[in-house]
Amino acid sequence: MSLLDLSDRVVLVTGAGSGLGASHARLLGALGAAVVVNDLGGAVDGSGSATSAADAVVAEISAAGGRAVASYDSVASRDGAQRIVGAALDAFGRLDGVVNNAGVLRDRSLPKLSVEDVELVIDVHLKGTIFVSQAAFPVMKEAGFGRFVHTASSSGIFGNFGQTNYAAAKAGIAGFSRALAEEGARYGITSNVICPVARTRMTDELLGDLADVLDPAAVSPLVAALLSPRCAVTRETFSAAGGRYARIFSGLTPGWLAGTGGTPDPEDVLAHLDAILDTTTYSVPVNANEELMFLAQLLTGGEARVALGAAR
Ligand code: NAI
């Protein structure tokens, strides 16, 4: 089997000083990519900062014969994000791929969340993903090529007790990626999401015996594949854990049509919840416009004009 070749590519991995990000950076470096290893170097809860985390991964990649530079800025501010992208351009003169991976945890049930627990988690995961992508987008647009891989979580897609702040941020990333995929399509820019599960300091106490089979290195090959110029897949969300890779998708049931001539009584809606929720058949709209077209077909026989996504 030949190795995926990324030797003429420059990629940036946020939160690459430990765990999954470090694993991605190592693999990308081994595949020949020049890597910007960004990490603030704090604790799992987001406290503190240090240059040592990013430096250690850069040293590893360099020792293995790869090319890498460190960046210590936080993804959570727009200026920091600009500097992180600037580090790629300064060191390597281009930027082909971005892996938004930096993350922190502040798990508490909803009544116990402090303002800081909410703001920090949204700032690092969701705003960090938006700001870094926003800084990279013009560079990719100019080049007519770009690859984004964002890190969400099954918590954000399927839900998890004690993670309302984190789930909200991660679900936001999934929505952001799909909208970004729409905006990037005409410039050769793809945007996909991974929902990993892996043994890292973040999950140390959560995975029990399963931790043994959840090596972060088993997630990284999907990241590398999605960064490849040979992969045109976009708008997708993947589950990746322990060497199993799968698609996560949002389906739309046929639902219940109350009739187009008026509004039904809420009692009627209650009585039809089973039909509304029935997943025996479903479709998977590629974007919001396609859902609107399904609706137009159903409600007007396709006569209504659909005009979503007109903003530039
Ligand atoms: P980790 O704690 O080992 O890695 C996160 C890295 O992000 C750390 O090195 C940290 O210093 C860095 N970071 C935190 N705030 C930052 C900021 N503002 N700017 C730049 N860097 C910052 O944890 P892990 O598990 O490797 O997490 C990586 C990503 O994967 C996170 O987004 C996490 O939410 C996500 N994830 C992990 C899962 C798992 O099973 N480990 C499950 C689902 C999602």
Side-chain angles (χ1 to χ4, degrees):
M1 200 174 66
S2 65
L3 281 180
L4 187 91
D5 182 15
L6 296 176
S7 54
D8 54 347
R9 303 288 155 178
V10 176
V11 295
L12 149 57
V13 184
T14 68
S18 69
L20 283 156
S23 166
H24 304 335
R26 280 186 211 106
L27 177 64
L28 297 168
L31 295 174
V35 188
V36 176
V37 176
N38 161 261
D39 206 293
L40 182 62
V44 173
D45 70 358
S47 59
S49 64
T51 55
S52 49
D55 285 345
V57 176
V58 168
E60 268 186 71
I61 294 172
S62 305
R67 293 173 297 153
V69 294
S71 138
Y72 315 113
D73 279 294
S74 170
V75 298
S77 82
R78 200 168 163 134
D79 289 349
Q82 289 287 354
R83 283 193 296 272
I84 295 168
V85 168
L89 300 178
D90 290 348
F92 306 116
R94 57 187 285 164
L95 180 59
D96 302 284
V98 169
V99 183
N100 281 309
N101 165 83
V104 295
L105 269 192
R106 291 288 184 98
D107 289 0
R108 295 190 217 314
S109 58
L110 182 60
K112 294 182 188 150
L113 281 177
S114 68
V115 170
E116 201 203 341
D117 294 335
V118 175
E119 290 183 344
L120 181 71
V121 167
I122 303 272
D123 281 354
V124 175
H125 291 276
L126 182 55
K127 290 196 200 165
T129 295
I130 295 173
F131 290 147
V132 173
S133 303
Q134 194 183 30
F137 190 90
V139 180
M140 295 177 173
K141 179 180 168 185
E142 177 74 23
F145 177 86
R147 295 284 179 268
F148 285 104
V149 180
H150 316 282
T151 311
S153 163
S154 56
S155 294
I157 311 286
F158 301 122
N160 196 25
F161 186 94
Q163 293 199 311
T164 50
N165 53 348
Y166 180 79
K170 291 304 201 186
I173 289 172
F176 168 76
S177 175
R178 288 177 184 207
L180 176 59
E182 292 298 311
E183 293 194 18
R186 77 192 72 169
Y187 307 117
I189 298 171
T190 66
S191 178
N192 293 289
V193 168
I194 60 162
C195 295
V197 189
R199 174 182 74 234
T200 68
R201 64 179 197 169
M202 200 181 258
T203 51
D204 251 357
E205 289 152 25
L206 306 172
L207 297 173
D209 291 346
L210 202 55
D212 297 343
V213 294
L214 293 173
D215 188 343
V219 175
S220 304
L222 173 63
V223 173
L226 293 172
L227 290 172
S228 166
R230 283 159 48 211
C231 179
V233 166
T234 190
R235 298 191 193 89
E236 295 294 345
T237 301
F238 297 89
S239 167
R244 191 288 323 264
Y245 311 96
R247 182 190 193 199
I248 298 174
F249 58 90
S250 298
L252 179 71
T253 69
W256 167 65
L257 181 61
T260 53
T263 52
D265 190 289
E267 271 302 337
D268 236 10
V269 177
L270 261 186
H272 287 89
L273 275 183
D274 282 351
I276 294 167
L277 294 171
D278 182 11
T279 54
T280 311
T281 62
Y282 57 85
S283 55
V284 182
V286 293
N287 53 27
N289 212 42
E290 191 169 286
E291 201 225 335
L292 205 57
M293 288 192 307
F294 291 166
L295 265 176
Q297 187 65 40
L298 185 69
L299 300 181
T300 71
E303 282 165 29
R305 290 194 53 222
V306 174
L308 266 191
R312 291 288 174 269

